[in-house]
Amino acid sequence: MNKVWLLVLMMFYNSLPIKTISNVSARPSTINIGAILSFNSTIGRVAKVAIEAAVDDINSNPKVLSGTKLNISMLDTKSSPGFLGIVDSLLLMEKETVAIIGPQFSVMAHVISHIANEMQVPILSFAATDPTLTSLEFPYFVRTTQSDLNQMAAVADIVDHFQWRDVIAIFIDDDHGRNGIAALGDKLAEKHSKISYKAALRPDQLTTDEINNALFKVALMESRVIVLHVTLHFGLQVLHLAQSHEMMGSGYVWIATDWLSTILDSDPSLSTSATMNDMQGVITLRMYTPESKNKRNFTSRWNRNLSHNIGSDHDHNHGPSFGLNMFGLYAYDTVYVLASALDAFFNSGGTLSFSNDSNLNMLRGDTLHLDNMKVFVNGSMLLQKILEVNITGLTGNIMFDSNGNLMNPSYEIINVIGSGIRRIGFWSESYGLHTGVESPNHSNLRKGLYGVIWPGQTTHTPRGWVFASNGRRLKVGVPLKISYHELVSRIKGSDMFAGYCIDVFTAAVELLPYSVPCKYIPVGDGKTNPTYTDILHKMTEGDFDAVVGDITITTNRTKIVDFTQPYSESGLVVVAPIMKLKASPWAFLRPFAPMMWLVTGVFFFVVGSVVWIVERRFNDDFRGPAKKQFVTILWFSFSTMFSTHREKTVSTLGRLLLIIWLFVVMILNSSYTSSLTSILTVEQLSSSVKGLESLATSNDRIGYLRGSFSENYLTQELNIHRSRLVPLNSPSEYEKALKDGPTNGGVAAIVDERAYMEIFLEMRCEFGIIGQEFTKMGWGFAFPRDSPLAIDMSTAILKLSENGGLQRIHDKWLTRSSCRSEEEKQGMDRLDLQSFWGLFLITGIACFVSLFCYVFQMAYSYRKHYSKNNNNNVQFSSRSARLRSFLSFVKEKEEEDKCSENRIKKEKSSSRRVAHEDGPLDLDDSNVGVHVENDA
């Protein structure tokens, strides 16, 4: 195709004047460069002035090219991106042009790049932003501005920042528009978003009717996020017509690429014109160039002289001047990039030499005079020097990557407000969206954007989506079930449906802030339950816009569609036949577990023993022969259960311990009575299936609802072989299979969702739920992936839950079961030690403390008693004798011990009186002992 283009071009070229070609020395006095611009376009006018200014600055500065001057030939394409631009490029080739600045249009750059490849002449474009130009197909194309690939990445980050998922693209249908939108689609896909509709506009001779038709189709779409990627000439017209169609109001989002910021920078008079009303709330992007002294100086020169000069040259009426835009800055820097590369080229020994192109030999002859078309021999060397440039220009640091693109791209995010613009943030390749200017330490960077004033003068972020207003009804797929009509059922003789799921869906739709007309489409033959996974796959193919029913949200299904917030909880349970337990004569033992009985009995005996120990010294009821005392301990211990003990406690320790124990006995009595009452009055049931684990390890057959996810769960999660699984279609089949049992071709149990089983068990009390739910899932409504309606419906379901609407709908369709579940039928479990160990711990501590205090008290009393005996010369021969003495002391009753002390005191007092009256009297130990014994 490239050769055909060249053939056509060269056939036209024979009419051009032929000039003599000569080689130039290593460091020539002048260098021919070319520029292809559209002088009457907004970008072209600014670029022309900027390029001329750059050439003048370079030629006046001998340090740049060491005295070599640039000779630039600027050709006007007159806003034609096609044929005239190609002719201009051929005219430049005959002048020994070493490089071409431009072209301005991406469409033209595609064609001229083919010629540049043949002639080996580098092309430096400051305005062609088409991402596909930087490809292996165009090695001599160098982009000295930022690529639309980066701009579309910034747009995608804005869309993702506000959590929009669908975008509408309005674009000019040429290389620049198509390839830019293709790049946007790729970047949106990385953020899990997409372009839902593309409105293409003709690149030339576009009429108002065509724009209106495109906008009318856009208004019928659901998305309200519109990316406008057009040329400067048509952009304002599109916004004006959108304003007339009320598409610039609240709820809409308009994101314009850098064409809008270019217009605003180039035409200062717009701020006071009525055109500003057409762009209120629009977000646009502008290539970011850091502030610098050189940039400020150039801007001052522009405002002072340059724009006025160009206005006087081309406008005989001396109309208003135009402002400097970003493309003018890049055009200025492009000339400096070329000059820097040429200087490095000559320093490396490069020469400006040209040779005939062997590929054009077939076109040479008398008919076509193409002898002046020659190849720049060292063009590849100059291209390499251009890619190696590293300078600082008006737009900042200029460096190229291996693909010929500028490195470190950055954009300003601008919001059009009132009569001006407001910067709401930045985008950079390294940091994404942020609110601060990048600095070396990046300490002032903050993720995100500042607040936006949206169309309609609102600060509330638009939802970015509404239900389509084109009269189309939402196609809702509804499974045609043959059972459980309480959930979903078709009204006989109509296309309407009723049931719990339908009522929840209808109530949620009514809470949406917009109208959603629905059309219910039955799915299934009415003879067997349809497979829900197949229904969801049909929705991905476009058969439905939503699926409503008792659809369980599972991991595999979320990979296919999006679900709303669950509106009903449901988990898998096991249902099996149950039978009544026979009455047992030992039922009175069932309230307590065996360990509970053992520990309770032990504590009865321990408490009785401790009370006996602390009481026997003071209380006659706890004294007597050993046999009597043992019986007393047992009687006292167990009689406390009924508070019928006749023994009185007189010691403080005994009374405290008895109070604690009676409190424990009261709780034990109450718990035992309550549990025994439940056991004797509530019907006791049992089943051969003990739970899910016993069912999985057995070889019995298991039933499940055909089409439900139960089959995959049983096979994949529990590793149950499919040969054991029996698909069933209705509750009647459930009942028959359970009654037949696994030995008669039936099943041992049914595994299904609790919601279904509660309906099934309403009037079938011979079956019951065994154990607890072993999955935690829920039912939800299904929508296509990334559907905004799923989010709005989730919000509506949450509102229904908060205002009690869900519960009212549940009570309407799903009544309470008349047969209790298995765990309710069996009543409370046996009481075990786990529930009472705290009470026993308190009792044990009380017993220990009582014994400790009693022993301490006895030791103190014995020590006191022993010291008195020592005063009367009472001695013990060994420790065992002392221990026997202590035990004998403990066995004595408190009154006896006190009588002994009183008798000793009385004897001592009598002795002292005799000694005082009659003189000293010698009393030996034996006599004292005799007196004590006689007194006793």
Side-chain angles (χ1 to χ4, degrees):
M1 184 63 184
N2 299 344
K3 301 299 182 182
V4 175
W5 265 105
L6 289 176
L7 179 61
V8 175
L9 295 173
M10 298 311 172
M11 291 178 65
F12 168 79
Y13 193 73
N14 66 329
S15 62
L16 299 177
I18 303 174
K19 296 186 178 181
T20 305
I21 302 175
S22 60
N23 292 338
V24 184
S25 61
R27 176 74 74 163
S29 59
T30 60
I31 304 172
N32 293 330
I33 62 175
I36 301 177
L37 306 172
S38 175
F39 293 169
N40 61 348
S41 66
T42 301
I43 294 177
R45 287 186 298 171
V46 175
K48 180 177 183 297
V49 177
I51 291 173
E52 290 175 346
V55 172
D56 291 342
D57 291 345
I58 292 172
N59 289 340
S60 62
N61 187 356
K63 295 181 180 180
V64 179
L65 281 173
S66 302
T68 301
K69 306 295 184 181
L70 293 178
N71 181 28
I72 186 166
S73 299
M74 304 183 71
L75 301 180
D76 184 11
T77 62
K78 302 184 185 300
S79 299
S80 175
F83 184 72
L84 291 181
I86 298 169
V87 173
D88 288 341
S89 65
L90 293 176
L91 289 174
L92 292 175
M93 295 301 177
E94 73 170 352
K95 299 179 180 180
E96 296 184 355
T97 301
V98 298
I100 297 176
I101 297 176
Q104 181 180 328
F105 302 104
S106 297
V107 176
M108 188 186 302
H110 276 274
V111 178
I112 295 179
S113 293
H114 290 293
I115 301 175
N117 292 344
E118 296 296 331
M119 299 295 104
Q120 298 184 20
V121 176
I123 296 179
L124 293 82
S125 178
F126 61 89
T129 57
D130 177 7
T132 63
L133 286 170
T134 54
S135 62
L136 297 177
E137 185 181 9
F138 308 119
Y140 282 86
F141 178 86
V142 179
R143 195 194 317 274
T144 56
T145 189
Q146 299 185 28
S147 170
D148 275 345
L149 184 66
N150 301 313
Q151 183 173 206
M152 296 308 174
V155 172
D157 279 353
I158 294 174
V159 172
D160 181 65
H161 174 72
F162 292 106
Q163 298 182 358
W164 298 316
R165 289 294 171 259
D166 285 349
V167 168
I168 293 176
I170 302 177
F171 63 98
I172 294 297
D173 195 10
D174 59 8
D175 290 336
H176 171 252
R178 285 192 304 270
N179 296 330
I181 294 302
L184 174 62
D186 293 340
K187 294 299 181 180
L188 287 174
E190 295 176 5
K191 305 294 183 180
H192 305 290
S193 301
K194 68 179 185 299
I195 300 176
S196 59
Y197 180 73
K198 296 180 180 180
L201 304 176
R202 283 202 303 168
D204 54 0
Q205 299 179 354
L206 183 63
T207 65
T208 300
D209 290 340
E210 290 175 330
I211 298 176
N212 283 329
N213 290 335
L215 292 176
F216 177 75
K217 294 178 181 179
V218 169
L220 295 179
M221 297 296 109
E222 297 174 348
S223 175
R224 285 294 181 263
V225 182
I226 303 172
V227 177
L228 189 57
H229 185 54
V230 295
T231 61
L232 282 69
H233 179 66
F234 297 118
L236 294 180
Q237 187 179 5
V238 172
L239 291 178
H240 177 70
L241 294 176
Q243 175 77 9
S244 65
H245 288 292
E246 299 182 352
M247 297 176 64
M248 299 297 296
S250 179
Y252 278 91
V253 176
W254 287 83
I255 303 176
T257 50
D258 55 10
W259 65 265
L260 181 55
S261 62
T262 301
I263 291 179
L264 294 173
D265 292 338
S266 303
D267 190 358
S269 64
L270 277 177
S271 61
T272 57
S273 68
T275 306
M276 290 298 293
N277 295 328
D278 299 334
M279 59 183 79
Q280 293 298 304
V282 175
I283 294 178
T284 184
L285 291 87
R286 178 166 61 190
M287 292 178 285
Y288 173 68
T289 56
E291 293 297 325
S292 64
K293 181 179 180 181
N294 290 336
K295 179 182 175 181
R296 287 192 295 270
N297 292 337
F298 183 78
T299 303
S300 298
R301 287 170 55 195
W302 182 276
N303 295 332
R304 192 169 54 249
N305 299 317
L306 297 179
S307 62
H308 177 73
N309 293 338
I310 191 67
S312 60
D313 290 342
H314 293 273
D315 187 357
H316 298 292
N317 295 324
H318 299 282
S321 61
F322 52 86
L324 175 64
N325 56 46
M326 292 296 108
F327 289 102
L329 298 178
Y330 280 103
Y332 183 92
D333 282 350
T334 299
V335 181
Y336 264 89
V337 168
L338 179 57
S340 178
L342 285 170
D343 187 60
F345 172 79
F346 290 127
N347 291 337
S348 300
T351 59
L352 301 182
S353 58
F354 299 83
S355 65
N356 294 329
D357 186 1
S358 59
N359 294 328
L360 300 178
N361 288 335
M362 64 177 181
L363 300 177
R364 299 182 189 279
D366 296 335
T367 305
L368 296 175
H369 302 285
L370 300 177
D371 294 338
N372 56 341
M373 294 293 295
K374 296 193 177 188
V375 177
F376 181 20
V377 176
N378 291 323
S380 60
M381 181 179 178
L382 178 59
L383 175 66
Q384 187 62 35
K385 296 302 179 183
I386 292 174
L387 296 177
E388 293 174 357
V389 165
N390 185 1
I391 64 173
T392 300
L394 301 181
T395 59
N397 185 250
I398 301 175
M399 294 179 61
F400 297 95
D401 58 20
S402 59
N403 295 322
N405 286 318
L406 287 178
M407 299 178 65
N408 303 319
S410 183
Y411 283 86
E412 294 178 76
I413 313 300
I414 295 171
N415 187 200
V416 181
I417 296 298
S419 60
I421 58 177
R422 171 174 168 264
R423 187 168 60 192
I424 58 175
F426 297 86
W427 178 91
S428 63
E429 188 177 30
S430 302
Y431 295 94
L433 296 176
H434 53 274
T435 56
V437 180
E438 293 186 33
S439 58
N441 58 6
H442 306 295
S443 59
N444 60 338
L445 291 185
R446 185 174 67 87
K447 290 291 185 180
L449 298 172
Y450 290 118
V452 182
I453 306 297
W454 302 100
Q457 301 297 312
T458 177
T459 58
H460 179 70
T461 301
R463 184 171 55 246
W465 179 91
V466 296
F467 189 73
S469 57
N470 56 1
R472 183 180 68 86
R473 292 192 294 174
L474 191 74
K475 296 184 295 184
V476 181
V478 181
L480 201 58
K481 299 174 66 67
I482 64 172
S483 58
Y484 302 117
H485 297 298
E486 299 90 341
L487 303 176
V488 176
S489 62
R490 187 173 186 176
I491 300 176
K492 190 174 182 180
S494 68
D495 294 332
M496 300 303 295
F497 285 80
Y500 170 66
C501 302
I502 300 298
D503 280 6
V504 173
F505 180 79
T506 303
V509 168
E510 291 176 352
L511 290 178
L512 296 177
Y514 44 85
S515 175
V516 181
C518 299
K519 177 183 179 182
Y520 294 106
I521 302 174
V523 183
D525 55 8
K527 299 179 181 178
T528 59
N529 289 322
T531 303
Y532 286 170
T533 303
D534 294 341
I535 299 177
L536 298 181
H537 278 294
K538 288 182 179 180
M539 183 169 62
T540 62
E541 298 171 358
D543 293 349
F544 313 113
D545 300 318
V547 176
V548 174
D550 47 335
I551 307 172
T552 304
I553 303 174
T554 64
T555 303
N556 291 333
R557 290 174 180 174
T558 55
K559 298 176 181 178
I560 305 174
V561 297
D562 282 348
F563 284 95
T564 62
Q565 171 82 14
Y567 62 87
S568 178
E569 294 183 357
S570 183
L572 291 179
V573 294
V574 176
V575 172
I578 53 178
M579 55 184 178
K580 295 182 179 180
L581 293 176
K582 294 181 179 180
S584 171
W586 304 102
F588 68 91
L589 294 176
R590 295 189 62 192
F592 284 168
M595 181 58 68
M596 183 65 182
W597 280 116
L598 177 62
V599 173
T600 302
V602 169
F603 266 85
F604 269 111
F605 184 76
V606 169
V607 171
S609 299
V610 174
V611 171
W612 173 79
I613 291 174
V614 300
E615 285 289 325
R616 68 176 303 275
R617 184 171 170 80
F618 313 98
N619 195 335
D620 290 334
D621 291 340
F622 292 90
R623 298 184 64 83
K627 182 177 179 181
K628 178 185 176 184
Q629 294 180 42
F630 181 75
V631 172
T632 300
I633 291 174
L634 294 179
W635 164 253
F636 180 84
S637 299
F638 291 99
S639 63
T640 55
M641 179 180 295
F642 312 103
S643 299
T644 59
H645 53 282
R646 61 176 181 271
E647 294 82 6
K648 296 181 179 180
T649 54
V650 297
S651 67
T652 303
L653 290 176
R655 289 176 176 177
L656 289 176
L657 178 58
L658 187 59
I659 289 174
I660 295 174
W661 178 241
L662 289 177
F663 174 74
V664 174
V665 169
M666 179 188 69
I667 296 177
L668 292 177
N669 280 337
S670 300
S671 302
Y672 176 85
T673 303
S674 175
S675 180
L676 182 62
T677 302
S678 175
I679 291 174
L680 295 179
T681 58
V682 177
E683 183 182 28
Q684 301 298 306
L685 306 172
S686 68
S687 173
S688 59
V689 178
K690 302 304 180 183
L692 180 64
E693 294 183 359
S694 64
L695 186 64
T697 55
S698 68
N699 294 321
D700 294 336
R701 302 207 308 168
I702 305 171
Y704 68 94
L705 181 63
R706 186 189 299 274
S708 71
F709 74 98
S710 305
E711 179 182 10
N712 290 334
Y713 182 86
L714 293 172
T715 55
Q716 297 177 7
E717 301 296 331
L718 301 180
N719 297 320
I720 298 176
H721 198 274
R722 290 185 183 274
S723 60
R724 293 178 53 196
L725 303 181
V726 180
L728 303 171
N729 292 308
S730 63
S732 59
E733 293 187 14
Y734 279 10
E735 183 177 8
K736 183 178 184 303
L738 288 172
K739 287 182 176 180
D740 292 342
T743 58
N744 298 320
V747 297
I750 301 290
V751 175
D752 207 343
E753 297 183 57
R754 174 177 283 275
Y756 300 137
M757 292 296 94
E758 288 180 349
I759 298 175
F760 171 75
L761 295 174
E762 282 184 3
M763 303 304 296
R764 298 175 177 88
C765 298
E766 65 271 27
F767 309 113
I769 296 175
I770 308 300
Q772 303 291 332
E773 292 181 358
F774 48 91
T775 61
K776 292 294 182 181
M777 299 179 180
W779 291 346
F781 304 127
F783 292 89
R785 296 299 298 270
D786 301 323
S787 172
L789 188 57
I791 300 175
D792 291 350
M793 286 292 289
S794 294
T795 303
I797 291 173
L798 289 176
K799 291 180 180 178
L800 280 176
S801 178
E802 293 171 357
N803 62 25
L806 279 181
Q807 187 61 44
R808 287 191 293 270
I809 298 173
H810 180 276
D811 295 341
K812 172 184 175 182
W813 291 98
L814 306 178
T815 58
R816 186 178 299 275
S817 175
S818 59
C819 293
R820 297 180 180 180
S821 60
E822 185 269 342
E823 54 267 24
E824 292 173 335
K825 294 172 183 175
Q826 287 191 356
M828 299 177 60
D829 293 333
R830 280 184 167 184
L831 300 175
D832 54 20
L833 186 62
Q834 185 70 22
S835 303
F836 299 95
W837 70 268
L839 292 174
F840 287 124
L841 177 63
I842 294 173
T843 305
I845 293 174
C847 292
F848 176 79
V849 171
S850 298
L851 285 176
F852 179 80
C853 293
Y854 178 75
V855 172
F856 180 80
Q857 181 183 358
M858 289 299 99
Y860 176 77
S861 299
Y862 176 73
R863 181 181 180 85
K864 182 178 179 182
H865 176 75
Y866 177 68
S867 62
K868 293 176 181 179
N869 286 343
N870 277 347
N871 292 337
N872 291 279
N873 299 322
V874 178
Q875 300 291 336
F876 298 100
S877 60
S878 64
R879 288 184 178 180
S880 59
R882 182 178 297 176
L883 178 60
R884 286 193 300 271
S885 175
F886 175 73
L887 294 177
S888 177
F889 174 78
V890 171
K891 290 180 180 179
E892 292 181 358
K893 192 177 179 181
E894 181 70 18
E895 288 78 0
E896 295 178 357
D897 183 59
K898 290 182 179 179
C899 290
S900 298
E901 292 182 0
N902 293 333
R903 193 168 51 250
I904 294 174
K905 290 180 180 180
K906 184 177 180 181
E907 184 68 26
K908 286 183 177 181
S909 176
S910 177
S911 299
R912 283 194 296 270
R913 287 196 305 269
V914 173
H916 177 72
E917 296 174 358
D918 300 334
L921 177 64
D922 293 332
L923 297 176
D924 54 14
D925 293 340
S926 59
N927 292 332
V928 174
V930 172
H931 285 296
V932 172
E933 183 178 355
N934 293 334
D935 290 340

